[in-house]
């Protein structure tokens, strides 16, 4: 059974930082693309970044409003992927999801990822 479990969300003040983690199991993690996707209240899901199966750091960064403030990494030995965010803004508030695919390439479209975690809430507010 494929499982993706996100952690690390919470309440953070504007300008603060946060590190999200995703623990994977039940599929061939080392050959999978891993993506972070967020969904703000009332909006569609938006891809933030992706790491392809050959990489340990960000392969592609999306979401122009956040791409310069995030860093993604994966630890294939621990089967985890992380998202480090800094200079957080209220508009970064939302549910952050970890997603996985075996397409062989990163995609900005959330529909290309068949496996999803339950998400972790990030709230940026003073």
């Amino acid at each position: 059974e494929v499982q993706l479990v996100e952690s690390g969300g919470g309440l953070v003040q504007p300008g603060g930082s946060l590190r999200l983690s995703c623990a994977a199991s039940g599929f061939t993690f080392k050959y999978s693309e891993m993506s972070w996707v967020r969904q703000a209240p009332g909006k569609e899901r938006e891809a933030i970044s992706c790491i392809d199966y050959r990489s340990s750091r960000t392969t592609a960064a999306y979401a122009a409003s956040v791409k310069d403030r995030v860093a993604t990494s994966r630890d294939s030995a621990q089967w985890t992927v992380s998202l480090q965010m800094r200079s957080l803004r209220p508009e970064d508030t939302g549910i952050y999801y970890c997603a996985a695919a075996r397409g062989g390439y990163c995609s900005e479209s959330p529909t290309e990822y068949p496996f999803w975690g339950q998400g972790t809430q990030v709230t940026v507010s003073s």
Side-chain angles (χ1 to χ4, degrees):
E1 178 187 5
V2 174
Q3 283 197 322
L4 297 170
V5 180
E6 301 94 338
S7 61
L11 175 65
V12 62
Q13 292 190 340
S17 299
L18 205 61
R19 182 181 180 89
L20 306 181
S21 294
C22 172
S25 63
F27 65 104
T28 312
F29 179 79
K30 65 183 295 185
Y31 295 121
S32 298
E33 285 64 57
M34 302 298 296
S35 181
W36 284 97
V37 178
R38 71 180 179 184
Q39 186 166 24
K43 296 188 177 181
E44 295 185 352
R45 290 185 178 183
E46 173 186 49
I48 297 173
S49 64
C50 176
I51 298 180
D52 73 23
Y53 71 95
R54 296 158 292 189
S55 303
S56 60
R57 292 290 184 264
T58 307
T59 301
Y62 312 114
S65 64
V66 71
K67 64 190 297 182
D68 294 330
R69 298 183 286 116
V70 301
T72 310
S73 61
R74 73 189 292 163
D75 184 334
S76 292
Q78 299 294 323
W79 285 45
T80 60
V81 61
S82 299
L83 178 69
Q84 180 75 43
M85 301 186 292
R86 60 180 175 82
S87 302
L88 286 163
R89 307 166 183 169
E91 53 264 39
D92 293 319
T93 294
I95 300 175
Y96 284 69
Y97 298 92
C98 173
R102 285 289 308 277
Y105 60 90
C106 279
S107 173
E108 188 175 0
S109 173
T111 61
E112 295 293 322
Y113 296 86
F115 306 121
W116 291 79
Q118 82 289 349
T120 185
Q121 176 70 46
V122 172
T123 302
V124 184
S125 175
S126 56

